[in-house]
Amino acid sequence: MTKRIGILTGGGDAPGLNAVIRGVTYPLIQAGFEVIGFHLGWKGILEQDYEVLTLERVNDIHRQGGTILGSSRTNVYKRENGVELVKQAYKETGLQALIAVGGDDTLGVASKLFDDGLNVIGVPKTIDNDVNATDYTFGFDTAINRVMETLDWLHTTTKAHRRVMVVEIMGRTAGWITLHGGIAGGAHFILIPEMDFDIDDFAKEVQIAYKKNNYLIIAVAEGADDPKLRAHIMHSAEKDEFGHAQLWSGIGIGEVLAKEIGDRTGLETRAVVLGHLQRGGNPSAFDRVLGTRFGVKAAELVKEKNWGKMVALKGSTIGTSPLADAITTLKHVTEERYNDASIFFG
Ligand code: F6P
């Protein structure tokens, strides 16, 4: 009987997902396995909605963004009989193992399913770069390059009009994209969820820095917070199945901060919300290569029957970590890293 391996991509998409799918499929088919891809993350396995992946189907897809399998934020453990349905699908589709590609939410489900007796392997993905136990996730490099490029563009128009530009960047609880994108794109200030700020003190710093530069770019992560501003931030009350607020909807920190800075300083201030521009488009070279290496390593784990592991980048080597380690905590920006960036503020 052909040995069948399933793969799914869950959570917010990240450039490099297709590189993983190709990276898994090639070596497994070459080793005599059949690979099936479930559509739309965990939803696909719950509904037994899948396709057989061939070499033709995955040929050259590593250059494309998004995911050929589609993705969703479906949580198996929030669905009625979810675990039973997954176990049934696992059995009925004849799986020997399942490869789950996703961030901490998707990997959390994968880890629980492993504890529940399924052969599962995880591949870490997120533009946020906040998965513990791996130095980098793919998608992050593409996102920070997008932020850098956008800040480069914003410098010229902001400078021409002598304005203050507040740029809202993705990152609900981790500020990695804002930190790296902000450094690379020459933001005059960087505000992230890990470091509290006070709008009154910050407005004073803005005034001083404006006098020096005649314009300012402020990079702010969507989850950055001064409790005093919370009342002005209006997001949809809806949460996804993992309990995350939808920070992109309504009025976010970028617009609120721009108004508060304008009111306090009298400077002409504008806000730009980069949103899903950071996740769209084709992956950078780094993410194409990292996704490919992660996929090939996941295929190796399948051949070794090394279940319950997540592939991980450690230095320049692709290693593994127990799936459980990936989800114990999120990887946050440290004070030290933030302080390094703050040397250039103002
Ligand atoms: O988890 C990645 C991420 O891009 C976050 O940075 C962002 O807050 C969130 O997804 C947006 O999710 P969605 O596309 O579901 O609105």
Side-chain angles (χ1 to χ4, degrees), residues 12 73 126-128 170-172 177 222 247-248 276 279:
R73 296 193 186 271
T126 167
I127 65 163
D128 296 331
M170 277 185 170
R172 289 185 277 224
I177 306 177
E222 58 186 350
L247 296 196
W248 51 266
H276 293 81
R279 267 188 7 210

Side-chain angles (χ1 to χ4, degrees), residues 283-323:
S284 65
F286 182 88
D287 286 336
R288 294 179 197 197
V289 174
L290 184 59
T292 301
R293 293 181 75 201
F294 275 177
V296 169
K297 184 71 181 180
E300 247 173 65
L301 295 180
V302 167
K303 289 185 236 167
E304 291 164 8
K305 298 192 164 83
N306 196 351
W307 317 126
K309 297 286 174 3
M310 177 188 88
V311 304
L313 179 68
K314 313 215 173 193
S316 58
T317 305
I318 307 293
T320 62
S321 291
L323 252 180

Side-chain angles (χ1 to χ4, degrees), residues 40 79 136 187 214 234 236 275:
L40 299 173
R79 297 293 171 103
Y136 283 99
N214 271 324
M234 281 187 290
S236 148

Side-chain angles (χ1 to χ4, degrees), residues 36 162 239 242 255 260 284:
I36 63 171
R162 310 281 189 264
K239 299 214 165 151
F242 290 93
E255 284 180 54
E260 297 296 320
S284 65

Side-chain angles (χ1 to χ4, degrees), residues 11-14 73 103-105 125-130 169-174 177 222-223 240 244-249 275-276 278-279:
D13 71 319
R73 296 193 186 271
D104 61 309
D105 293 330
K125 160 247 62 160
T126 167
I127 65 163
D128 296 331
N129 198 38
D130 58 358
I169 294 167
M170 277 185 170
R172 289 185 277 224
T173 60
I177 306 177
E222 58 186 350
D240 67 26
H244 303 302
Q246 301 184 338
L247 296 196
W248 51 266
S249 66
H276 293 81
Q278 295 159 92
R279 267 188 7 210

